Amino acid sequence: MSVIGAYFRLARVGWVLMREGVVSALPADGMPPLARTGKAIAGLFERRKAARVGRGDNLARAIERLGPSYVKMGQFLATRPDVVGAEIAVELSALQDRMATFPKEAAVATVEGSLGRPLADLYATFDDPIAAASIAQVHPATVRKADGEQRVAVKVIRPGVRQRFGHDLEAMYAAARLQEKILPNTRRLKPVEVTRTLEQTTKVEMDLRLEAAALSELGENTKDDPGFRVPTVDWERTGRDVVTMEWIDGIKMSDVDGLRAAGHDLDRLADTLIQSFLRHTLRDGFFHADMHQGNLFVDPAGVIVAVDMGIVGRLGKKERRFLAEILYGFITRDYQRVADVHFEAGYVPSHHDTASFAQAIRAIGEPIHGQPAETISMAKLLTLLFEVTELFDMETRTELVMLQKTMVVVEGVARTLNPRFNMWKASEGVVGDWIRDNLGPKRLLADLRDGAHAALRLAEAAPEIAAKAEKFSQDLTAMAEKGLRFDAETAEAIGRSEARHSRSGRLALWVIAAVLVYIAWKLT
């Protein structure tokens, strides 16, 4: 029944996309004949109003009609221009969490249930919500401290959101599997893996203890950084469904006029923002992956404060070295090194020619040099980089795509503060320092130290590895002598499973066909 339900929900998604004009607005270039026919048919079901507005508005309205799960999916896919294309990714990036608030009484019940204490014992005051998103909403509150009352922000999970997301996720998996089956050339983009990543990131985002932990970790990493910080967490009033944190009195970075009127140096803020992001990424391998203007404040001291750590990114040592060398290669115009790094990291298959790849990288990098600062766009560069890597069979790297998307967003915020902002110039010092500290003699010492630790752990595990190897050898010998066999119960279970999936799939397709025929009949 879950398979049938998934296909029903998928049919509803397709219907909403048709009605809002999203399907008929898709570019027909490269579509197979059957897909073009489907696109033409979808235009017959389009609402008249949908034809009079842009595709971006249609897409945003369709996603909002589908509900919180799809708002979250749209925001997630905005981080994957390699999957949906750069143009659609830009449209999705404008999608905001503009959900209706849920009643304060429901929030109080959630807080008390999560923390196991009456609201009066937790907060001196607990006010109505001031903002609501697809997963949670925020309430101003105060808590009693030894030195008086202190203002806090309380983020409360939306009731029922986990159950709804679980149901919608089944439809998303069904769509991903259909895409892999019907459009084999898109398998390189790993749609099922993308859906799995969405599932994991959203489950993490729905556990507010993990957001609190992310705030705490980034706070420790940045405690000595100039011009950047995050709110402190009140762990006593934090649980799975609620997180309480320091209230930030500041000006949103989207309010450029307000920042200017308060006397803040906008050029310095732009530089601090991109340099802070690069420090988090290269030095710590841990970064805020949703640094849009709505999540960034400037306090009265001119310090940037980042909030809403529901989405974070991590990079291993290998990926950090890759990123640093890529950025430094573009900055110094060493395109052969940029190409070599792609091959050394295994991101481009070895059967391709490094010189040809370096030539393609040069075609991307050269236009950014010698240009006025305001025309140098990281977004444009990354769009071209995606096109080139596709030509050279580079598979999707989810951690790098999230990083690249965040870098584009941060650059965009910096440009609103300083229209002549030059990201390359602002980042050169941070990247150069990291290169010198981590890719020179210090790197060799660090690698030797890590290698010694790994060798020590291997030596400690040697007896257990030897025992497992001996057991594996014995099992292989037994298999070679007696063969690999299923018992009757296993074979019967496999047969039942295959038959059940086959029947469910056929039944779901017939049900969807009947629904579509009924809809078409009602509209005639």
Side-chain angles (χ1 to χ4, degrees):
M1 293 302 293
S2 63
V3 174
I4 297 174
Y7 279 110
F8 260 120
R9 284 185 285 272
L10 191 57
R12 175 179 175 265
V13 171
W15 175 247
V16 171
L17 293 178
M18 283 194 297
R19 290 288 287 163
E20 296 298 340
V22 176
V23 177
S24 61
L26 293 173
D29 297 342
M31 275 189 178
L34 184 61
R36 285 199 296 270
T37 302
K39 177 177 178 291
I41 294 173
L44 300 176
F45 298 96
E46 180 180 317
R47 292 191 308 116
R48 293 179 181 178
K49 183 178 179 181
R52 297 194 297 267
V53 298
R55 185 180 70 182
D57 293 333
N58 289 342
L59 183 59
R61 186 168 55 250
I63 290 175
E64 288 171 359
R65 275 188 61 187
L66 289 170
S69 300
Y70 290 91
V71 170
K72 182 54 59 181
M73 183 182 72
Q75 293 170 330
F76 174 78
L77 288 178
T79 72
R80 301 303 305 273
D82 58 319
V83 174
V84 298
E87 186 178 350
I88 293 179
V90 170
E91 293 169 1
L92 290 173
S93 66
L95 190 66
Q96 299 295 317
D97 275 322
R98 293 172 294 198
M99 310 302 296
T101 60
F102 55 87
K104 177 182 174 182
E105 293 74 20
V108 171
T110 299
V111 170
E112 292 182 337
S114 181
L115 300 181
R117 295 166 59 187
L119 191 78
D121 290 350
L122 295 164
Y123 304 100
T125 62
F126 189 85
D127 299 331
D128 292 331
I130 57 170
S134 55
I135 288 179
Q137 69 183 24
V138 177
H139 294 257
T142 58
V143 297
R144 298 181 185 88
K145 298 288 185 179
D147 55 351
E149 291 188 352
Q150 176 185 337
R151 294 186 72 195
V152 293
V154 185
K155 187 173 181 179
V156 184
I157 208 77
R158 184 176 289 274
V161 69
R162 293 187 182 90
Q163 293 83 350
R164 178 162 185 174
F165 181 77
H167 291 313
D168 290 337
L169 193 66
E170 293 176 356
M172 296 174 195
Y173 270 117
R177 293 188 182 102
L178 283 174
Q179 180 182 343
E180 288 192 345
K181 186 175 182 179
I182 298 172
L183 301 172
N185 60 319
T186 65
R187 290 173 186 165
R188 181 185 75 90
L189 302 176
K190 305 178 182 177
V192 173
E193 184 177 319
V194 169
T195 307
R196 193 173 294 115
T197 303
L198 167 64
E199 178 183 14
Q200 179 60 28
T201 57
T202 307
K203 283 182 176 177
V204 168
E205 196 172 352
M206 288 178 183
D207 189 333
L208 298 185
R209 293 169 299 189
L210 300 182
E211 179 176 347
L215 281 167
S216 177
E217 182 176 350
L218 191 61
E220 289 183 5
N221 291 344
T222 61
K223 61 185 178 182
D224 297 322
D225 287 359
F228 183 93
R229 72 181 185 91
V230 294
T232 56
V233 175
D234 184 341
W235 285 101
E236 181 187 351
R237 297 169 179 83
T238 293
R240 189 182 73 145
D241 297 335
V242 56
V243 58
T244 303
M245 67 191 79
E246 170 192 2
W247 181 270
I248 300 300
D249 282 314
I251 303 171
K252 277 193 176 183
M253 272 201 166
S254 56
D255 184 5
V256 177
D257 291 337
L259 292 171
R260 188 179 290 113
H264 295 297
D265 184 338
L266 301 190
D267 293 355
R268 184 188 63 79
L269 287 174
D271 288 348
T272 300
L273 180 64
I274 190 63
Q275 289 167 3
S276 297
F277 170 71
L278 287 172
R279 283 192 195 97
H280 309 161
T281 304
L282 294 174
R283 180 191 65 196
D284 309 320
F286 180 67
F287 59 93
H288 190 317
D290 198 19
M291 290 179 70
H292 61 74
Q293 290 169 310
N295 286 340
L296 297 169
F297 292 80
V298 180
D299 71 13
V303 175
I304 297 171
V305 186
V307 301
D308 195 352
M309 291 282 292
I311 305 176
V312 296
R314 290 189 185 275
L315 292 181
K317 190 174 294 185
K318 172 185 171 182
E319 287 76 23
R320 280 184 268 169
R321 289 176 180 171
F322 171 77
L323 170 67
E325 295 220 48
I326 292 295
L327 289 176
Y328 203 65
F330 276 117
I331 291 170
T332 60
R333 303 171 73 176
D334 188 351
Y335 305 116
Q336 185 60 53
R337 182 57 189 152
V338 174
D340 290 341
V341 169
H342 276 81
F343 281 83
E344 290 169 7
Y347 294 153
V348 177
S350 58
H351 65 266
H352 286 291
D353 179 52
T354 56
S356 297
F357 190 67
Q359 179 183 354
I361 295 295
R362 179 179 292 273
I364 297 172
E366 280 302 297
I368 71 173
H369 291 283
Q371 297 292 325
E374 61 269 22
T375 68
I376 302 175
S377 170
M378 172 64 77
K380 182 178 180 181
L381 183 145
L382 292 176
T383 300
L384 293 172
L385 188 59
F386 281 128
E387 293 174 359
V388 167
T389 54
E390 182 178 2
L391 292 175
F392 287 85
D393 302 319
M394 179 175 169
E395 290 194 347
T396 296
R397 303 288 303 189
T398 55
E399 73 279 6
L400 295 178
V401 173
M402 180 177 284
L403 170 73
Q404 290 167 335
K405 173 263 179 184
T406 309
M407 194 176 295
V408 170
V409 171
V410 172
E411 180 195 29
V413 175
R415 284 188 188 279
T416 63
L417 300 172
N418 175 13
R420 297 185 60 83
F421 175 72
N422 185 335
M423 178 170 178
W424 303 101
K425 184 176 180 182
S427 63
E428 186 172 2
V430 176
V431 176
D433 289 345
W434 195 90
I435 288 278
R436 282 187 292 273
D437 290 342
N438 293 273
L439 301 184
K442 288 186 178 180
R443 172 194 170 180
L444 296 177
L445 293 174
D447 286 349
L448 286 173
R449 183 181 65 250
D450 292 344
H453 288 163
L456 180 61
R457 288 194 298 270
L458 182 61
E460 292 173 345
E464 182 181 354
I465 293 172
K468 288 182 178 180
E470 182 179 1
K471 176 70 167 54
F472 181 63
S473 175
Q474 293 171 354
D475 291 343
L476 283 178
T477 302
M479 287 171 56
E481 293 175 352
K482 302 178 182 179
L484 179 63
R485 300 175 183 175
F486 288 129
D487 59 30
E489 185 179 350
T490 301
E492 185 180 350
I494 292 173
R496 285 198 306 268
S497 177
E498 288 297 318
R500 183 170 61 253
H501 282 293
S502 179
R503 287 196 302 271
S504 299
R506 285 196 300 270
L507 179 59
L509 291 174
W510 277 110
V511 169
I512 290 171
V515 170
L516 292 177
V517 168
Y518 174 75
I519 291 172
W521 175 71
K522 291 292 286 184
L523 291 174
T524 57

